Amino acid sequence: MKGFGNGAGGVRVLLHNKGIVEEDDLDRRWEEATGERVDELIFLSKHTAVSNRPALTVHPIGVPHLRPGDAAPQGGRPGWAAPPSPRIGPWLRHLKKLAQAHNLVPEFEITLEGTHHGPITNTPTMFLEIGSTDEYWKRQDAAQVIALLVWEGLGLGGGAAVGNWNGEKDKNRVLLGIGGGHYAPRHMDIVLKDGVWVGHLLSGYSLPMEDPSQSKAETNTKEIGGTWREAIKAGFEATQSAFPGGEILAHLDHKSFKSWQKNAITGFLGEQNIKIGKPNDFY
């Protein structure tokens, strides 16, 4: 791969020819090739959406809802979730400020996405994407905003970096999003508040649940099939590993669940000792 470095700052930019979701174990491969420790991975990517709406997006990665042996059409390993970068929340807020300052808003939507796709990593990871069509992928003003986000977010210009995690801070509660659509609007309402940290965001499609309408299984989570339990557990454990010293709170998009789904999920969270947070608990 062709690469660029910023001297003593320890930041590398790599250019590659493969599909980005195919670059499995980039952190391990880099360490083996160079001896340099990889502390975090930031993938700069194109985003596609059926709506074709211009957007700048931020999201964690993983496919924790897939079963072993399932095909992973966009990379990753079934049942796996990468540690989410602690910068996701702070960078989303900074991205919105930069986009507004460069007059990209309201033309461009600034948004989170739910956890999805590969590549496999074991290092705190996030994706930054420009969407959603060829017309917008080529927009230099959008690319400049993403470049500024990385430059300022990592403190490369001499200023303080944005989003360095310190679990001893007073505000150490981390949002684990459960439910809702791919762009997580109800989780977004919380994340846009200053001081909110973000872990995995498990959209409704990442929580497959088999309808128990033929039985009375409203509170018996063991009778509700699907991989929703495995997805929640993988997302929680990966988030916990990325935020040492943090308190992980599940935030449920209640309106996206039927009553039997909500009962099952809250019951499982209780069994796993995962606390549920209300909006005011995060700030």
Side-chain angles (χ1 to χ4, degrees), residues 137-156:
W137 297 335
K138 296 177 180 178
R139 284 275 293 266
Q140 291 300 299
D141 50 357
Q144 183 181 18
V145 163
I146 292 294
L148 280 171
L149 177 63
V150 175
W151 178 260
E152 295 179 6
L154 295 177
L156 301 182

Side-chain angles (χ1 to χ4, degrees), residues 209-215 223-225 258 260:
M209 304 179 78
E210 296 173 3
D211 190 342
S213 59
Q214 302 303 314
S215 66
E223 293 184 30
I224 297 176
K258 297 178 181 178
W260 64 269

Side-chain angles (χ1 to χ4, degrees), residues 45 68 88 91 128-129 182 191 232 238 240 249 271 275 278:
S45 178
I88 290 174
W91 278 32
L128 304 177
E129 302 186 358
H182 182 69
V191 175
I232 291 174
Q240 196 173 45
L249 297 180
E271 293 168 9
K275 295 180 182 179
K278 297 179 180 179

